[in-house]
Amino acid sequence: MPGARPRMANGFHSPARRRCSNARCLRCPPRRSPSSSPPFPALADLKLCNRMSYVVEAAIGIDDKAATATRGWFRIDPATCRVVAQGTLNADRILLNARALPVYGASPIPQNGSDTLCVAQGNFVIAAARQCRSGQTPTPFTQITPTRTDDGNLVAYLAEDSEYDDEQARLAGVQRLLVIAGYDAAPIDGVDGPKTQGALAAFLKSRGLTQDVVQSQNFFTTMIDAVQSPSATGLTWCNDTPHKIMAAVATDDGKSVVSRGWYRIEPGKCLHPDVSGTPKQVFSFAEAVDAENKTVKLKDKPLNWGGATPLCTRESKFETNEQGDCSNRGFATTGFVPVDLSAGGKTLRFAMP
């Protein structure tokens, strides 16, 4: 995904708070010996605050001497906080996994923690999270070190390299969704101006909304619902299958062809890939995957929607402007289909054959 590379940082507003350049430098203190007292008080709420330009879902891991439990998913909008453990926190370590909503495509939040714990779909609580059972998925978690506030509770932040404050994070979050919805609100920088206001006004007008809704608590939900519905402009993917679909897009500006992916489209949902500028040609590829992210096959044939234009992709998140010699560069050659946007908008609906 374009834009600042997000990171997970932890801390509280104080001069001594340590800031990291990315998720890999999360401060991980040495694990305490069993004889040590837990570093976190038994009666303390744990609050996560989102200072990113993405709506995220978070899961936490509570690690003590007896077992490791996980719970989630907690949705947190930009510039908001949410209590994820209330009044009963007793842990040697606290761990975190955070992911952006599918509307943003491949999750821009790096997940490189050393602890692998089990999670599940929807709301879940897993008491023994180091041995996954049916319906549970092993997922990397990163240890965090929340800061105790003056009232005795704990707080940890999700932040980007841009180090937005709350107001900037909210505005950058609005800008990012406007761009995905097909409105020119770039750059995504959390800075207000005529361009952002013009894009926002056009979005509100197209949806029959008033300016008052911008300050409502449900505004990000309103925007996401709009992004996940067919649009009269740009490219829209809609998933009419019972499977999760992973899609990739490519744009040709006349000088080079850039392919990137993957965008996750849940069953029954639509998504607008971020197609910036005015490309001369747009290409699309999509495939259905199962719960383990393996390609769904029907009669031994992959369930996908592509074409005859060979472009470079790979299994993990990617973006490349070189389309030759894919295999020798660690990519695969995938057949994309051209998308005609001459009428201003195109919706590709993926359905079962």
Side-chain angles (χ1 to χ4, degrees):
M1 293 284 293
R5 180 175 177 80
R7 60 184 173 80
M8 288 185 288
N10 55 73
F12 182 63
H13 270 301
S14 68
R17 180 160 64 99
R18 175 179 177 181
R19 305 294 297 194
C20 299
S21 61
N22 56 47
R24 294 179 177 82
C25 71
L26 273 173
R27 182 157 48 98
C28 299
R31 184 164 185 167
R32 296 180 176 231
S33 64
S35 59
S36 301
S37 60
F40 306 111
L43 294 176
D45 293 347
L46 171 61
K47 182 167 61 175
L48 296 181
C49 295
N50 181 8
R51 286 185 174 166
M52 300 178 67
S53 57
Y54 301 85
V55 179
V56 302
E57 293 176 326
I60 61 168
I62 306 298
D63 189 14
D64 62 25
K65 293 183 285 292
T68 302
T70 56
R71 64 182 71 169
W73 293 96
F74 302 97
R75 172 174 157 158
I76 313 173
D77 291 346
T80 62
C81 299
R82 183 164 179 182
V83 174
V84 296
Q86 190 171 23
T88 57
L89 189 63
N90 191 354
D92 293 315
R93 298 192 305 153
I94 300 174
L95 304 111
L96 173 69
N97 175 278
R99 64 187 187 186
L101 295 189
V103 69
Y104 299 107
S107 181
I109 305 175
Q111 303 290 355
N112 58 355
S114 58
D115 287 79
T116 299
L117 305 178
C118 306
V119 300
Q121 297 296 321
N123 296 326
F124 71 89
V125 176
I126 301 174
R130 292 198 178 272
Q131 294 184 336
C132 300
R133 299 182 179 181
S134 177
Q136 300 175 357
T137 304
T139 303
F141 277 67
T142 300
Q143 182 177 343
I144 62 174
T145 308
T147 297
R148 187 173 294 118
T149 61
D150 291 340
D151 61 5
N153 293 315
L154 303 170
V155 63
Y157 287 90
L158 293 169
E160 295 183 49
D161 285 340
S162 302
E163 296 196 353
Y164 298 125
D165 60 24
D166 286 340
E167 183 178 354
Q168 293 167 336
R170 192 177 195 280
L171 182 56
V174 170
Q175 290 172 328
R176 189 172 296 283
L177 287 172
L178 284 171
V179 169
I180 294 174
Y183 298 88
D184 186 7
I188 299 166
D189 56 8
V191 178
D192 201 2
K195 193 175 181 181
T196 296
Q197 288 301 317
L200 181 58
F203 167 79
L204 295 174
K205 182 178 180 180
S206 71
R207 301 291 165 174
L209 301 172
T210 65
Q211 184 69 30
D212 295 343
V213 74
V214 177
Q215 300 303 324
S216 71
Q217 292 184 347
N218 296 325
F219 185 55
F220 280 100
T221 298
T222 300
M223 293 197 73
I224 289 170
D225 288 344
V227 170
Q228 292 181 330
S229 61
S231 172
T233 61
L235 172 62
T236 303
W237 289 311
C238 290
N239 182 1
D240 295 332
T241 80
H243 305 288
K244 180 173 64 177
I245 286 178
M246 304 300 289
V249 67
T251 56
D252 182 357
D253 64 1
K255 298 179 181 179
S256 64
V257 179
V258 177
S259 58
R260 67 175 179 272
W262 296 91
Y263 295 84
R264 186 170 76 247
I265 315 167
E266 300 294 340
K269 299 293 185 180
C270 296
L271 188 145
H272 308 290
D274 179 12
V275 179
S276 59
T278 55
K280 297 181 179 297
Q281 182 67 68
V282 175
F283 303 87
S284 170
F285 173 81
E287 65 179 0
V289 298
D290 60 20
E292 297 179 351
N293 288 324
K294 296 181 180 178
T295 302
V296 173
K297 293 185 177 182
L298 296 178
K299 297 181 179 180
D300 294 327
K301 292 184 178 180
L303 180 57
N304 60 34
W305 298 264
T309 303
L311 299 174
C312 297
T313 65
R314 62 183 171 202
E315 289 187 2
S316 58
K317 176 185 174 183
F318 72 93
E319 180 171 345
T320 179
N321 61 0
E322 297 182 23
Q323 302 302 330
D325 199 19
C326 297
S327 60
N328 286 334
R329 295 189 299 111
F331 290 83
T333 302
T334 303
F336 281 63
V337 62
V339 181
D340 183 8
L341 295 178
S342 59
K346 179 71 172 182
T347 297
L348 298 181
R349 306 200 75 97
F350 306 127
M352 299 298 292

